[in-house]
Amino acid sequence: MSSHELPKSYNPGAIESRWAEYWVAEKLFHVDTPPTSDNVFDLLLPPPNVTGRLHMGHMLNQTEMDIIIRWKRMSGMNTLWLPGTDHAGIATQMMVERQLATEGKKRQELGREKFIERVWEWRGHYGGAILDQMKRLGASVDWQREYFTMDENLSVAVREAFVRLHEQGLVYRGNYIVNWCPRCVTAISDLEVVHEEMQGKLYEIKYPIVGSKDSITVATTRPETMLGDTAVAVNPNDERYKHLIGRVARVPLMDREIPIVADDWANPEFGTGAVKVTPAHDPNDFALGKRHNLPQINIMDENARMNENAGAYAGLDRFAARSRVLEDLDKQHLLVRVKDHTLSVGKCDRCKTIVEPRLSMQWFVKIAPLAQRAIEVVDKGYIKFTPDNYKTIYLNWMHNIYDWCISRQLWWGHRIPAWHCADCKQDTVAREAPKKCVHCGSVNIEQDTDVLDTWFSSALLPFTTFGWPQKTKDLEVFYPTSLLITGFDILFFWVARMIMMGTWFMGDEDKLDSSNEVGQKKLAASVPFREVYIHALVRDADRQKMSKTKGNVLDPIEIIERFGTDAVRFTLASMAAPGTDIAFNEDRTEGYRAFANKIWNAARFIFMNVDRAQESGAWSLSAFDFSVTPKASTLEDRWILSRFHAVTQQVDESLKAYRFDDAANAIYRFFWGEFCDWYIEIVKLRLNAGDSAADKAATAAALDFVMHIFEGSLRLLSPFMPFITEEIWHAIYDGNPPKKSIALAGYPKPSAEAVATDAESEMALLQALIVDVRTIRAELKVENKLKTPIEVHANSGSRVRDIIQANMNSVLKLANVEQVAFTPSSLSNAAGTKVSPNYEVRVVYEQKIDVAAERERLTKELKKFGTEMANAQRQLSNEQFMAKAPEKVVEGIRRRSGELTGLIEKITKALGELG
């Protein structure tokens, strides 16, 4: 091994692409199907859209998933992280249509078949961009199992699922009000509609009563829809209108007679208390129309332009029609009043066009039976949510769920396997294209032109990707998956629907009886995943949500090019606490780039000493066994070994609870704050000992421990910072490591026996003494090159003197001390002194003491300790706190209170001596 194997400066760009390519080329993360599921940990990557590019949300999601899967893999489990992309029906079709528009073409000119060929061609050129980015970031997925939701095997499974649901009466077709996007020209689900508060108007319009001079005034926010009115509704208990119930009104501008009906839906306190009823253009009116058997008049086409049913307004855009209708009503003196009114306006989540409720023939999933099962598995704890408040959010939504509109008026996607008969008007739903209608035998049939909602196929992925509907070995071993990590934004789009589909198709479908123990076991085994971890949002440094309009969107690739992938990953991990949004700050990333540099420099220092020791014959890499813990012969060795195992335990517990922040910060503090800043500095004394046999033995013992802890620390850090740890780990083994990758090496296992609390407390005392001496020297403005003597007074009952004497060389070197003198007398009255519960230490420095500065320093210390004492006394006098606090916590506060009393007395006395 040579330190020259690692360049002097750490350059992440130089190593990351090389290792990323190596991991893929060597198929390091491919897993053959094991015989059983006993030691399996698997998770499904939320499939990014084929149109997508990596954003910070992806980066966080993939960082957390990669940390977990690498940790589990290194812990000895058979791990599978399954990657894939989603065909993203609307998004992809829009992308290709835009491309066609630049050529002056429309999809309708190409025809369906040619257009779909064009989409596949587009996908071949551009569709893998986000997966290429994932490879560059080193995501340890099984690339040999990569899928695309339009793959033939998955398309077969989608058709099978649709047909089975139809056979079970859970898929039906009908004319219903749907959310219609006039720009995307398709129905969209409730979840794809975002509601925004907007300032609008409430219009009061007079409808004449037929056969009299009376009229009834209705209130509406959408006056253009009156062209399709088929009734006026009033509340049956509204005294103002009881005499009009059953009468007939005339629709202004259309000269159509409509009934006045009584219905509880009409709210006497809203507007005038009378509402117009347009069953074809409002979901509530649609339901009211069903109750009263009202006609349904559709007045708009698929582009939200008025159709022939709108009379004189045919051909106008809906908003242009609104203006004309209002003008005409005003001319006829039928527009009574216009009021300002705040509206909740539904917009298409994708293109932000105002959604139009529209009567349309669509396919739906009858959701109640599936939802009931999906509620039960969460209620019974078969699926666990973290943070657990998402369980309540999920259940609330599931208890109020509506039937799911699964048809989309697109060409790109899984085409609905239903054929309409032109003769008997019935549908034939089949796995393969039928030759004739199953109802009447006619050959005059044509396949439905609609495709399925993208989320329908995505909801099946936890089992279709493993071979369903076939009973494959993969399905037996890998289903249910262990964990799903995803964002809140697709909790209902995807997570809930996977649970519904998984528990249905993998739970004996309509034959499951969960009322007995056998049924409950089947139900528990049917879930698509055992746990769901919902990660938070990544916001900007000011905690603002990132958006293009605000100009605060961060491009993770650009940040990675500046700081390196490892630094960005570590930034996200160090801030990723369950339920807390991340305020991404590049200053933090700069700090973790420095952390990587610190590790790099530590490696170069260690390798330099290894080279020197091998040249002198003091130590041999080939003879060293990394798997065996060396004998700890010094305090620093026992301490660093204890800390290593304590931190390993903390990381293990934190990752189990998805406390990525706690795990990352524990490693950071250990690697930099303890291993590099303290242990390496102390151990330098033994590495630079000399050439005698005793010196060489000391060097060998030191290198044994340095190499053992350093190699273990790299493995501990590896899931968080895979690139730098891979590079250094290979260098440690001089290019001949025991595994192809550190990612395949064992993750450190905590040992309770290795934790030495006595060594940790002794080392803490030494560290405190050294820090105190450094602080005094800084306050006295002692030059760094000048070594100074110190005096130490050990408090009664303290082992300070023994500990210092046993580690004298460390104190002399790290505190820059010339000699240590122990005194039985208190030093608290002397200038240049620090007092602590265990000792008093004074830097002996001949320079005249600045009395004012010393008084200021002691006053600050007195204030600090006084505040701490007041807090302790407040807690100890709080009966509620004392009743609830653990005994160890109370005892610790009492002990600290006693220490503070002594410290305050000493500082007060010292201030008095200064005069």
Side-chain angles (χ1 to χ4, degrees):
M1 182 193 308
S2 168
S3 59
H4 298 296
E5 289 180 12
L6 294 182
K8 186 174 182 180
S9 298
Y10 166 59
N11 179 8
I15 66 172
E16 289 178 357
S17 57
R18 174 163 46 85
W19 285 118
E21 290 170 9
Y22 171 81
W23 294 333
V24 174
E26 291 293 322
K27 302 177 182 178
L28 289 186
F29 309 121
H30 173 63
V31 59
D32 293 322
T33 307
T36 70
S37 60
D38 291 347
N39 192 39
V40 166
F41 184 90
D42 60 329
L43 39 76
L44 188 70
L45 174 77
N49 286 355
V50 70
T51 60
R53 291 293 185 275
L54 199 75
H55 57 63
M56 289 304 290
H58 289 131
M59 186 80 193
L60 172 63
N61 183 254
Q62 292 174 20
T63 294
E64 292 180 341
M65 294 181 85
D66 200 38
I67 289 170
I68 292 291
I69 204 76
R70 285 175 180 271
W71 169 54
K72 292 289 186 179
R73 185 184 295 117
M74 293 178 73
S75 298
M77 300 195 77
N78 288 313
T79 56
L80 170 61
W81 184 10
L82 192 63
T85 46
D86 193 284
H87 64 278
I90 294 177
T92 307
Q93 180 158 318
M94 285 175 64
M95 198 74 76
V96 177
E97 287 194 55
R98 283 185 198 141
Q99 190 181 63
L100 286 173
T102 64
E103 303 168 14
K105 298 176 185 175
K106 293 185 177 181
R107 67 179 167 96
Q108 290 82 359
E109 296 169 10
L110 267 67
R112 185 171 192 138
E113 191 174 329
K114 290 290 184 185
F115 178 76
I116 291 174
E117 286 178 10
R118 184 67 179 260
V119 179
W120 278 105
E121 183 183 318
W122 181 92
R123 187 248 175 184
H125 279 104
Y126 306 105
I130 197 163
L131 294 184
D132 290 340
Q133 290 176 330
M134 281 184 64
K135 289 174 183 176
R136 166 66 182 81
L137 299 180
S140 61
V141 300
D142 188 341
W143 292 111
Q144 281 59 58
R145 292 177 180 263
E146 180 190 338
Y147 67 85
F148 177 52
T149 52
M150 290 285 285
D151 287 342
E152 180 56 30
N153 62 314
L154 295 182
S155 296
V156 168
V158 169
R159 287 196 298 274
E160 180 68 27
F162 182 93
V163 172
R164 288 194 192 184
L165 289 172
H166 185 267
E167 290 171 345
Q168 294 156 6
L170 298 177
V171 160
Y172 63 93
R173 186 171 183 250
N175 241 338
Y176 292 90
I177 290 285
V178 295
N179 303 300
W180 187 268
C181 176
R183 187 168 184 270
C184 298
V185 196
T186 184
I188 57 176
S189 72
D190 290 343
L191 292 174
E192 294 166 290
V193 178
V194 289
H195 290 272
E196 292 182 14
E197 279 205 351
M198 297 177 66
Q199 194 60 40
K201 303 290 183 183
L202 185 65
Y203 305 93
E204 294 183 4
I205 302 168
K206 191 186 296 182
Y207 282 46
I209 304 297
V210 175
S212 78
K213 294 182 179 179
D214 291 340
S215 63
I216 185 167
T217 301
V218 303
T220 180
T221 59
R222 298 160 65 216
E224 69 280 6
T225 62
M226 66 179 291
L227 305 175
D229 282 358
T230 57
V232 171
V234 297
N235 193 286
N237 299 314
D238 194 332
E239 295 293 338
R240 294 172 293 175
Y241 302 119
K242 277 189 174 182
H243 67 290
L244 293 177
I245 295 171
R247 297 287 296 274
V248 175
R250 179 176 288 110
V251 179
L253 310 180
M254 296 301 287
D255 202 29
R256 182 169 59 245
E257 295 184 357
I258 58 175
I260 299 174
V261 300
D263 196 283
D264 288 333
W265 166 250
N267 180 359
E269 296 179 5
F270 176 77
T272 64
V275 293
K276 52 187 283 311
V277 181
T278 319
H281 291 280
D282 183 275
N284 296 310
D285 291 4
F286 176 81
L288 190 152
K290 285 285 187 183
R291 290 195 293 272
H292 296 275
N293 199 26
L294 299 174
Q296 301 162 342
I297 301 175
N298 192 334
I299 59 167
M300 296 184 204
D301 66 14
E302 62 185 12
N303 301 116
R305 302 184 78 84
M306 297 295 133
N307 62 20
E308 66 279 4
N309 293 329
Y313 306 91
L316 291 176
D317 171 78
R318 54 183 164 164
F319 299 118
R322 177 179 296 180
S323 298
R324 278 275 302 277
V325 164
L326 291 170
E327 286 175 19
D328 293 345
L329 286 171
D330 196 38
K331 287 176 184 175
Q332 297 182 27
H333 306 292
L334 296 173
L335 185 59
V336 178
R337 191 179 292 108
V338 180
K339 299 178 181 176
D340 288 335
H341 184 70
T342 302
L343 305 172
S344 178
V345 177
K347 293 185 177 181
C348 173
D349 189 33
R350 186 161 302 282
C351 69
K352 309 309 176 191
T353 301
I354 293 178
V355 168
E356 191 65 42
R358 183 172 186 255
L359 187 66
S360 179
M361 184 66 75
Q362 302 288 342
W363 290 91
F364 296 84
V365 173
K366 185 180 179 182
I367 213 74
L370 282 71
Q372 181 182 354
R373 200 173 288 183
I375 289 168
E376 187 176 356
V377 294
V378 172
D379 268 337
K380 287 196 160 73
Y382 300 149
I383 295 176
K384 177 190 173 188
F385 280 90
T386 302
D388 60 5
N389 63 298
Y390 284 107
K391 173 183 175 181
T392 304
I393 295 170
Y394 166 87
L395 290 172
N396 285 343
W397 187 74
M398 292 300 293
H399 281 296
N400 295 284
I401 196 170
Y402 295 99
D403 283 359
W404 175 16
C405 177
I406 55 171
S407 47
R408 297 291 181 270
Q409 288 64 56
L410 304 170
W411 286 357
W412 173 242
H414 294 105
R415 194 165 177 180
I416 290 176
W419 285 259
H420 308 308
C421 179
D423 295 328
C424 73
K425 310 302 181 189
Q426 295 202 61
D427 300 318
T428 298
V429 173
R431 293 166 177 83
E432 302 292 339
K435 291 184 169 57
K436 59 184 180 180
C437 173
V438 295
H439 303 286
C440 71
S442 171
V443 295
N444 195 11
I445 58 173
E446 186 176 344
Q447 188 173 0
D448 196 308
T449 57
D450 290 353
V451 299
L452 286 164
D453 179 7
T454 298
W455 295 105
F456 184 90
S457 54
S458 297
L460 309 173
L461 289 174
F463 49 96
T464 57
T465 49
F466 295 127
W468 186 93
Q470 305 302 317
K471 292 184 177 179
T472 64
K473 188 65 177 177
D474 274 358
L475 196 59
E476 177 191 330
V477 169
F478 292 119
Y479 190 95
T481 60
S482 309
L483 170 68
L484 178 73
I485 297 180
T486 190
F488 170 72
D489 54 336
I490 54 175
L491 175 60
F492 306 128
F493 276 120
W494 192 45
V495 180
R497 287 165 174 168
M498 281 192 289
I499 296 173
M500 286 190 283
M501 291 298 195
T503 53
W504 188 260
F505 286 111
M506 298 301 291
D508 281 355
E509 300 174 35
D510 56 349
K511 296 180 284 295
L512 179 69
D513 177 8
S514 63
S515 63
N516 55 53
E517 187 178 345
V518 173
Q520 280 297 311
K521 284 184 178 178
K522 286 184 178 180
L523 184 63
S526 72
V527 297
F529 25 74
R530 301 295 189 191
E531 291 189 59
V532 180
Y533 174 68
I534 304 290
H535 64 69
L537 282 176
V538 182
R539 298 179 179 269
D540 71 8
D542 297 319
R543 307 201 74 83
Q544 296 295 308
K545 190 173 182 179
M546 293 186 195
S547 70
K548 290 178 182 176
T549 53
K550 291 179 182 174
N552 63 346
V553 175
L554 296 174
D555 178 2
I557 299 300
E558 187 270 329
I559 296 172
I560 283 164
E561 287 172 353
R562 284 196 286 133
F563 298 108
T565 306
D566 283 337
V568 179
R569 284 172 62 112
F570 205 85
T571 304
L572 291 168
S574 70
M575 302 174 80
T580 305
D581 287 348
I582 292 172
F584 190 87
N585 190 326
E586 289 186 18
D587 291 343
R588 288 280 292 261
T589 312
E590 182 70 57
Y592 294 129
R593 171 67 169 76
F595 176 46
N597 209 57
K598 185 80 172 179
I599 296 166
W600 189 266
N601 289 336
R604 283 180 51 79
F605 170 79
I606 292 167
F607 295 169
M608 178 185 69
N609 280 277
V610 166
D611 290 346
R612 191 165 61 195
Q614 291 199 122
E615 288 168 8
S616 70
W619 192 82
S620 170
L621 174 65
S622 59
F624 182 67
D625 186 349
F626 283 95
S627 65
V628 176
T629 303
K631 184 180 179 182
S633 57
T634 65
L635 171 62
E636 64 265 23
D637 287 348
R638 289 191 301 122
W639 169 73
I640 199 65
L641 183 65
S642 178
R643 294 300 306 135
F644 175 75
H645 282 276
V647 169
T648 299
Q649 178 69 33
Q650 185 180 349
V651 170
D652 197 57
E653 291 172 357
S654 297
L655 288 180
K656 284 176 183 174
Y658 309 112
R659 296 291 314 211
F660 298 95
D661 56 333
D662 288 348
N665 291 323
I667 294 172
Y668 176 84
R669 288 191 297 269
F670 170 77
F671 219 133
W672 188 323
E674 296 178 327
F675 180 75
C676 291
D677 280 359
W678 285 98
Y679 183 70
I680 290 292
E681 292 303 313
I682 292 174
V683 93
K684 282 179 181 178
L685 295 169
R686 292 150 66 195
L687 294 175
N688 299 327
D691 294 324
S692 68
D695 289 339
K696 286 182 177 181
T699 296
L703 277 178
D704 282 352
F705 241 86
V706 168
M707 289 293 278
H708 179 77
I709 297 296
F710 187 55
E711 193 270 351
S713 300
L714 291 173
R715 286 185 284 118
L716 190 68
L717 178 63
S718 180
F720 299 82
M721 301 179 90
F723 291 103
I724 190 172
T725 52
E726 187 79 276
E727 181 80 4
I728 297 173
W729 189 75
H730 278 260
I732 276 183
Y733 286 96
D734 210 11
N736 188 32
K739 300 281 186 180
K740 282 186 174 182
S741 168
I742 190 173
L744 304 179
Y747 202 69
K749 293 181 179 178
S751 167
E753 294 176 1
V755 176
T757 53
D758 60 332
E760 292 195 26
S761 62
E762 288 179 17
M763 189 66 189
L765 190 147
L766 272 184
Q767 289 171 314
L769 177 74
I770 291 165
V771 168
D772 280 345
V773 172
R774 289 172 177 173
T775 302
I776 298 169
R777 285 174 57 91
E779 290 170 350
L780 296 176
K781 295 183 173 56
V782 180
E783 293 182 28
N784 288 335
K785 63 183 180 181
L786 182 64
K787 290 184 179 293
T788 53
I790 62 171
E791 292 180 338
V792 177
H793 167 71
N795 294 341
S796 61
S798 165
R799 292 189 57 237
V800 170
R801 181 168 185 155
D802 294 341
I803 294 169
I804 292 174
Q805 286 179 326
N807 298 276
M808 185 63 76
N809 287 340
S810 297
V811 174
L812 295 177
K813 178 179 181 296
L814 270 64
N816 205 12
V817 168
E818 184 179 46
Q819 65 180 32
V820 179
F822 295 95
T823 174
S825 304
S826 172
L827 300 168
S828 61
N829 297 335
T833 298
K834 282 273 186 184
V835 294
S836 82
N838 295 302
Y839 61 81
E840 297 165 8
V841 60
R842 174 182 175 238
V843 172
V844 181
Y845 186 50
E846 296 302 322
Q847 182 176 321
K848 180 176 171 61
I849 297 297
D850 185 334
V851 174
E854 182 67 3
R855 183 182 292 109
E856 183 181 359
R857 183 184 71 80
L858 289 172
T859 302
K860 282 182 181 177
E861 284 209 342
L862 185 63
K863 183 179 179 182
K864 182 181 77 171
F865 290 141
T867 301
E868 191 179 349
M869 171 65 92
N871 289 337
Q873 291 301 321
R874 185 167 56 252
Q875 286 179 301
L876 292 172
S877 62
N878 185 324
E879 293 181 5
Q880 191 175 8
F881 171 79
M882 294 293 284
K884 292 182 178 179
E887 188 176 335
K888 289 176 70 175
V889 171
V890 173
E891 180 56 35
I893 295 171
R894 286 196 175 118
R895 185 169 58 252
R896 181 59 177 163
S897 179
E899 293 171 355
L900 289 167
T901 300
L903 292 172
I904 290 169
E905 287 176 358
K906 289 177 179 179
I907 293 172
T908 302
K909 186 176 180 183
L911 279 168
E913 295 291 332
L914 286 174

